[in-house]
Every structure is written in C-alpha cells, then in structure tokens.
Amino acid sequence: MSGCVLLSRGATAAAAAARASRVLREFTARRRPLHTSLQSCSFAKELFLGNIEQKGVFPFPEVSQHELSEINQFVGPLEKFFTEEVDSRKIDQEGKIPVDTLEKLKSLGLFGIQVPEEYGGLGLSNTMYARLGEIISLDASITVTLAAHQAIGLKWE
C-alpha cells in the first residue's frame, strides 16, 4: 500500500513539474523585452566573446598639438611631486595619506582632473587623464583616492 502512495506522490510531483515548465515556456514566449531601443554592445564583452568591434578602436584617437602641450605642462611637476614628495612606504605603514600630501594634490588640481573648468576642475580629456594616471599610479593609495573623485557622479555626455 505504501508503494502505491509513493507512486501517486511521484506522479503528482512529475505532473506539477510539467505544468510549471509549460507555464514558464508560455510566459517566456509572450514576454516583451524591457528595452525599447537597440542594445549597444560593450567592447569588452564582445572581445570576451571573440568579436573585435573595430569601430570602437579604429582609428586610434590622435592627440592634438594643443592637447599635447597642455598635458606636458602637468607631467613635469606631477612626476617631480610623486618622486620627491610622496612617501608611499609611510602612507602604507600609517594607513592614511598625510594632510600635506592631500593639500598638494588639491593645489595641483588632481581632485578635479576631468571636472569641467567652469566648475573649478582641470577639464582634461580621457586621453590626458590616462597620461596623468600613469604617473599617479606610482602610489596605489593616492590612485584610489583620486580615481574615486573622477568616477563618482562625474560621468555625462
């Protein structure tokens, strides 16, 4: 008798699973996509999938002479500051960036690298930000601190 009950329960569970599967298939078939515009594909995602989206990387952006001369004004003083005044070992040991170092970063305008000039920033392009990033990355703590100020709430088109 208990064998019949188990068989009956198994049949009921199988029927419920079949019903749930059928309902899910019907729902999926009727479902409307949430996005009404065309999806834009991420370059990194497409690269991961083995597709190179050439329009995203070619032609490689050229740096204008004006932009080049502007960035060169920052490179020298920034390299000097990071090699002579930033003590990465001290920052790592103490677990904080000294106030005088933060003040110097502020005076160099590095908390507003990509902030438009009309709002008190430097208004540099992504290319110029990347060049300064090469120097800033000499200290990881400062890199993270400054990157947060470039990323949080500053992206617009």
Side-chain angles (χ1 to χ4, degrees), residues 54-128:
Q54 292 187 8
K55 69 181 179 187
V57 291
F58 298 112
F60 190 78
E62 294 290 326
V63 180
S64 69
Q65 285 299 320
H66 171 72
E67 201 173 33
L68 189 59
S69 65
E70 189 175 358
I71 196 63
N72 284 335
Q73 293 173 8
F74 291 103
V75 170
L78 195 57
E79 283 179 333
K80 181 179 180 184
F81 171 69
F82 272 86
T83 56
E84 295 177 6
E85 296 184 42
V86 173
D87 186 354
S88 295
R89 182 179 304 253
K90 179 180 176 186
I91 292 171
D92 289 344
Q93 288 174 343
E94 294 181 0
K96 65 179 185 175
I97 302 170
V99 174
D100 62 320
T101 302
L102 290 171
E103 287 298 323
K104 182 67 174 183
L105 293 169
K106 180 181 173 184
S107 70
L108 289 168
L110 297 178
F111 285 99
I113 293 174
Q114 292 186 300
V115 175
E117 290 180 65
E118 60 263 25
Y119 298 112
L122 297 177
L124 301 183
S125 69
N126 285 336
T127 305
M128 295 194 297

Side-chain angles (χ1 to χ4, degrees), residues 40-54:
S40 63
C41 295
S42 157
F43 176 78
K45 176 183 176 183
E46 291 300 313
L47 190 61
F48 179 78
L49 295 172
N51 305 319
I52 296 178
E53 192 63 39
Q54 292 187 8

